[in-house]
Coordinates of all heavy atoms in Angstrom, one line a residue:
I30 N -18.2 17.7 -5.0 CA -19.2 16.7 -5.5 C -20.6 17.0 -4.9 O -21.5 16.9 -5.7 CB -18.7 15.2 -5.1 CG1 -17.5 14.9 -5.9 CG2 -19.8 14.2 -5.4 CD1 -16.8 13.6 -5.5
R37 N -27.0 19.9 -9.9 CA -27.6 19.0 -10.9 C -29.0 18.5 -10.6 O -29.8 18.3 -11.5 CB -26.6 17.9 -11.1 CG -26.9 17.0 -12.2 CD -25.9 15.9 -12.4 NE -25.9 15.4 -13.7 CZ -25.0 14.9 -14.4 NH1 -23.8 14.7 -13.8 NH2 -25.1 14.4 -15.6
H38 N -29.2 18.3 -9.3 CA -30.5 17.8 -8.8 C -31.1 18.7 -7.7 O -31.1 18.3 -6.6 CB -30.4 16.3 -8.3 CG -29.8 15.4 -9.4 ND1 -30.5 15.0 -10.5 CD2 -28.6 14.8 -9.5 CE1 -29.8 14.2 -11.2 NE2 -28.6 14.1 -10.6
K84 N -31.7 11.1 -6.1 CA -30.8 11.3 -7.2 C -29.5 12.0 -6.8 O -28.4 11.7 -7.2 CB -31.5 12.1 -8.3 CG -32.5 11.4 -9.1 CD -33.2 12.2 -10.1 CE -34.2 11.4 -10.9 NZ -34.9 12.3 -11.8
K86 N -28.2 11.8 -3.7 CA -27.4 10.9 -2.9 C -26.6 9.9 -3.9 O -25.5 9.6 -3.7 CB -28.3 10.1 -2.0 CG -27.6 9.1 -1.1 CD -28.5 8.4 -0.2 CE -27.8 7.4 0.6 NZ -28.7 6.6 1.5
S87 N -27.3 9.4 -4.9 CA -26.7 8.5 -5.8 C -25.6 9.2 -6.6 O -24.5 8.6 -6.8 CB -27.8 8.0 -6.8 OG -27.2 7.2 -7.8
F88 N -25.8 10.4 -7.0 CA -24.7 11.2 -7.7 C -23.5 11.4 -6.8 O -22.3 11.2 -7.2 CB -25.3 12.6 -8.1 CG -24.3 13.4 -8.9 CD1 -24.2 13.3 -10.2 CD2 -23.5 14.3 -8.2 CE1 -23.3 14.1 -10.9 CE2 -22.6 15.1 -8.9 CZ -22.5 15.0 -10.3
V89 N -23.7 11.7 -5.5 CA -22.6 11.9 -4.6 C -21.9 10.6 -4.3 O -20.6 10.6 -4.4 CB -23.2 12.5 -3.2 CG1 -22.1 12.4 -2.1 CG2 -23.6 13.9 -3.4
Q90 N -22.6 9.5 -4.1 CA -21.9 8.2 -3.9 C -21.1 7.8 -5.1 O -20.0 7.3 -4.9 CB -23.0 7.2 -3.5 CG -23.6 7.4 -2.2 CD -24.7 6.4 -1.9 OE1 -25.4 5.9 -2.8 NE2 -24.9 6.1 -0.6
R91 N -21.6 8.0 -6.3 CA -20.9 7.6 -7.5 C -19.6 8.5 -7.6 O -18.5 8.0 -7.9 CB -21.7 7.8 -8.8 CG -22.6 6.6 -9.1 CD -23.2 6.7 -10.5 NE -23.7 8.0 -10.9 CZ -24.9 8.4 -10.6 NH1 -25.8 7.7 -10.0 NH2 -25.3 9.6 -11.0
G92 N -19.7 9.8 -7.4 CA -18.6 10.7 -7.4 C -17.5 10.3 -6.4 O -16.3 10.4 -6.7
Q93 N -18.0 10.0 -5.2 CA -17.0 9.7 -4.1 C -16.3 8.4 -4.4 O -15.1 8.3 -4.2 CB -17.7 9.6 -2.8 CG -18.2 11.0 -2.3 CD -19.0 10.9 -1.0 OE1 -19.5 9.8 -0.6 NE2 -19.1 12.0 -0.3
R94 N -17.0 7.4 -4.9 CA -16.4 6.1 -5.2 C -15.4 6.3 -6.3 O -14.3 5.8 -6.3 CB -17.4 5.1 -5.6 CG -18.1 4.5 -4.4 CD -18.9 3.2 -4.8 NE -19.9 3.5 -5.9 CZ -21.2 3.8 -5.7 NH1 -21.6 4.0 -4.5 NH2 -22.0 4.0 -6.7
A95 N -15.7 7.1 -7.4 CA -14.8 7.4 -8.5 C -13.6 8.1 -8.0 O -12.4 7.8 -8.4 CB -15.5 8.2 -9.6
W96 N -13.7 9.1 -7.1 CA -12.6 9.8 -6.6 C -11.7 8.9 -5.8 O -10.5 8.9 -5.9 CB -13.1 11.0 -5.7 CG -11.9 11.9 -5.4 CD1 -11.6 13.0 -6.1 CD2 -11.0 11.8 -4.3 NE1 -10.4 13.6 -5.5 CE2 -10.1 12.9 -4.4 CE3 -10.8 10.9 -3.3 CZ2 -9.0 13.1 -3.5 CZ3 -9.8 11.1 -2.4 CH2 -8.9 12.2 -2.5
R98 N -11.3 5.7 -6.1 CA -10.6 4.8 -7.0 C -9.4 5.5 -7.7 O -8.4 4.9 -7.8 CB -11.6 4.2 -8.1 CG -12.4 3.0 -7.6 CD -13.1 2.4 -8.8 NE -13.9 3.3 -9.6 CZ -15.2 3.6 -9.3 NH1 -15.7 3.1 -8.3 NH2 -15.8 4.4 -10.1

Side-chain angles (χ1 to χ4, degrees):
I30 290 168
R37 189 175 199 155
H38 303 288
K84 287 178 180 177
K86 181 178 180 181
S87 176
F88 182 88
V89 166
Q90 288 174 334
R91 277 192 316 273
Q93 289 176 341
R94 283 192 303 269
W96 192 92
R98 275 191 305 276

